[in-house]
Amino acid sequence: QIRLVESGGGSVQAGGSLRLSCEVSDYNYNGCTAWFRQAPGKEREGVAGIDLLGTTSYADSVKGRFTISKDNARNRLYLQMNGLKVEDTAIYYCAAGGDWRCAIQTLRPTYWGQGTQVTVSL
């Protein structure tokens, strides 16, 4: 069982930045990790994924604005979000597991964090 704990959510004006962090409890875990989000009234969607080798994939809606990264020494996953838009408002979830290729468009993670709220206003 892997525990994932997110932090770093909050409220920001459009055009601003936020950095999300996720602590992964299992120091031996080296598979796919990813960020998903769920806006009110919408289905959960993949935002970005990163595999064992550091290869990344992004949803088209965040390409060029969001950057996923990981610090293996600290067992942490990050999501740097720049140029935030109102439509980025959602609960953001850290996730782990699923296919090792870690393609965010088709990823089905096994483990989930509790989520952190990101609110972007005009």
Side-chain angles (χ1 to χ4, degrees), residues 52-66:
L52 169 65
L53 299 179
T55 302
T56 58
S57 63
Y58 295 92
D60 288 343
S61 59
V62 306
K63 280 181 182 177
R65 299 188 298 123
F66 290 11

Side-chain angles (χ1 to χ4, degrees), residues 6-83:
E6 303 97 336
S7 60
S11 297
V12 65
Q13 288 190 321
S17 298
L18 281 174
R19 187 193 195 205
L20 304 183
S21 178
C22 174
E23 182 177 0
V24 182
S25 65
D26 185 350
Y27 278 79
N28 294 316
Y29 179 77
N30 58 9
C32 173
T33 46
W35 290 97
F36 281 67
R37 67 185 181 186
Q38 187 166 20
K42 294 188 177 181
E43 292 187 357
R44 191 175 298 189
E45 63 173 354
V47 175
I50 185 167
D51 71 8
L52 169 65
L53 299 179
T55 302
T56 58
S57 63
Y58 295 92
D60 288 343
S61 59
V62 306
K63 280 181 182 177
R65 299 188 298 123
F66 290 11
T67 302
I68 188 171
S69 62
K70 60 180 180 176
D71 183 336
N72 291 326
R74 293 189 172 188
N75 244 44
R76 286 189 178 270
L77 178 72
Y78 302 101
L79 184 68
Q80 178 66 43
M81 305 185 292
N82 298 328

Side-chain angles (χ1 to χ4, degrees), residues 81-122:
M81 305 185 292
N82 298 328
L84 282 161
K85 303 176 180 180
V86 172
E87 51 263 43
D88 294 318
T89 295
I91 299 174
Y92 283 70
Y93 297 90
C94 178
D99 189 272
W100 63 270
R101 285 164 290 192
C102 209
I104 195 61
Q105 291 81 3
T106 57
L107 186 65
R108 296 292 183 265
T110 304
Y111 305 102
W112 296 89
Q114 81 287 354
T116 185
Q117 177 71 46
V118 171
T119 303
V120 185
S121 59
L122 291 173

